[in-house]
Amino acid sequence: MQAVLRKVNISADYSFVSRKDKLPVLYDKWHFHPELELTYIIESKGTRFVGDSIEEFEEGDMVLLGAYLPHVWRNDVGYYADSSGLKAVAMVVQFLPDCFGKDFLHLKEMENINRLIEKSKRGLKISGITKAHVLALFSQLVENQNGVQRISLLLQMLELIANSDELDFLSSEGFVESYHRFGADTINRIYEFTLSHFNRKILIEEAATIANMSVPNFCRYFKNRTQKTYIQFLTEVRIGYACRMLIENKKSIQQIAFDCGFHNLSNFNRSFRLLKKQKPTDYRQVFGGLKS
């Protein structure tokens, strides 16, 4: 139940992977890999977990993830129905920092990209004009699987991102520092357990058992590792899924609250306002298109 070290299959003929995925659902295991990963969502919706970041994702999202940064893209429940007809379509490029040679990053011309690689350790969401320009090159890269043009296109994409101010960090600096400073097995078990069971009642004692710790030790450990309490993290997971269900606008707010693990509607409303700075009804009006 810990984060999976996922092997990226890079052909011996190429220095990095670029592809267009067309799948029923995106890869939905909490995982990491030594490669950086740039993803553009063409067709898909759900909740994205990057380190301690929890956000909804949808068509048009572009994200750069650094090496060894744990993450998962979880499609909405409807994608898992046999007759849904839904597809997850995304363009992906995965590359090792030294994919062009160990000395390449030491070149003076690579200073900006080096800084970008450092920033990517927290995960970056790319927006605005930068995203539009990168997307044009991204499409060419996926279509051109041979020749030196692949290298040129990837470097141009990274240079555009490196010089942009249209970037937002995803994971907190505190999480990344603590995640890499200590062994990650325990926090991985806790994350995977929470992502799998958030929609039912979870007692702090149960989470502590997963971590093989006493409750006081577990609470201190989780706060030190993530800069938040376990209850805060669990609530963020639940509200993240609730946001997507509100956007889909297929269930009542009370049913959504129960489906996301809240056993009290007033507690759900209070938690939602605290995290999203608005009521669930207002969120649905803005993003769901219809009044509740």
Side-chain angles (χ1 to χ4, degrees):
M1 293 182 66
Q2 65 185 39
V4 178
L5 173 60
R6 191 183 185 200
K7 182 172 177 56
V8 175
N9 295 317
I10 297 178
S11 167
D13 297 327
Y14 301 106
S15 54
F16 63 91
V17 168
S18 58
R19 65 177 189 270
K20 184 176 182 179
D21 291 335
K22 295 182 180 180
L23 305 164
V25 295
L26 298 174
Y27 185 73
D28 60 357
K29 304 299 182 184
W30 177 245
H31 69 284
F32 61 90
H33 37 70
E35 294 82 5
L36 286 84
E37 178 178 289
L38 180 65
T39 300
Y40 177 75
I41 301 297
I42 299 173
E43 182 181 345
S44 194
K45 294 181 180 180
T47 306
R48 180 185 62 242
F49 300 81
V50 176
D52 60 352
S53 166
I54 304 167
E55 294 183 356
E56 308 97 74
F57 73 87
E58 60 186 2
E59 290 90 347
D61 278 7
M62 182 180 289
V63 168
L64 176 64
L65 303 178
Y68 295 103
L69 178 60
H71 60 280
V72 62
W73 304 72
R74 292 232 169 160
N75 282 110
D76 292 335
V77 175
Y79 281 76
Y80 291 87
D82 292 337
S83 59
S84 72
L86 297 170
K87 294 292 182 184
V89 185
M91 292 192 296
V92 181
V93 58
Q94 295 168 316
F95 58 98
L96 290 166
D98 61 354
C99 65
F100 300 134
K102 296 187 180 300
D103 295 326
F104 189 72
L105 288 177
H106 298 306
L107 296 174
K108 181 70 175 177
E109 293 84 353
M110 294 296 292
E111 284 184 351
N112 284 347
I113 292 179
N114 263 318
R115 284 193 287 269
L116 175 65
I117 290 173
E118 185 65 25
K119 287 181 180 179
S120 72
K121 291 179 179 179
R122 290 175 56 187
L124 295 166
K125 185 174 180 180
I126 303 154
S127 60
I129 298 299
T130 304
K131 181 174 72 172
H133 290 166
V134 172
L135 179 58
L137 297 172
F138 211 155
S139 300
Q140 293 180 53
L141 177 61
V142 171
E143 293 169 2
N144 289 275
Q145 294 297 322
N146 296 294
V148 72
Q149 188 179 13
R150 297 181 74 247
I151 297 174
S152 174
L153 287 168
L154 177 57
L155 290 176
Q156 289 180 68
M157 292 162 62
L158 295 178
E159 183 75 4
L160 281 169
I161 300 170
N163 291 327
S164 174
D165 57 2
E166 298 176 302
L167 308 176
D168 292 303
F169 284 113
L170 295 176
S171 187
S172 70
E173 189 173 2
F175 175 88
V176 173
E177 288 179 352
S178 61
Y179 189 88
H180 291 293
R181 188 164 64 246
F182 305 106
D185 284 354
T186 300
I187 200 71
N188 286 335
R189 289 200 306 273
I190 297 166
Y191 264 58
E192 185 61 28
F193 165 75
T194 306
L195 299 184
S196 299
H197 300 284
F198 72 91
N199 57 348
R200 66 168 175 80
K201 185 176 182 179
I202 296 179
L203 299 176
I204 197 75
E205 290 82 2
E206 188 176 5
T209 299
I210 295 296
N212 196 27
M213 297 178 184
S214 67
V215 170
N217 285 343
F218 168 73
C219 291
R220 284 193 296 270
Y221 167 84
F222 195 87
K223 183 66 178 291
N224 288 336
R225 294 299 303 274
T226 68
Q227 315 305 307
K228 65 184 71 175
T229 68
Y230 179 72
I231 297 303
Q232 286 175 316
F233 170 68
L234 176 59
T235 301
E236 288 178 3
V237 172
R238 288 170 170 167
I239 294 299
Y241 273 88
C243 286
R244 176 52 58 195
M245 296 175 75
L246 287 167
I247 291 172
E248 290 180 347
N249 208 8
K250 295 179 180 178
K251 296 183 178 181
S252 70
I253 289 177
Q254 183 174 30
Q255 187 60 55
I256 289 172
F258 293 155
D259 287 351
C260 291
F262 291 92
H263 298 277
N264 182 302
L265 184 58
S266 62
N267 185 33
F268 169 70
N269 287 329
R270 184 169 57 253
S271 297
F272 196 96
R273 286 197 302 270
L274 182 64
L275 287 174
K276 296 299 179 180
K277 311 304 179 187
Q278 59 184 320
K279 298 177 183 178
T281 50
D282 294 336
Y283 186 94
R284 168 171 275 179
Q285 276 187 257
V286 172
F287 297 103
L290 295 174
K291 295 184 178 180
S292 60

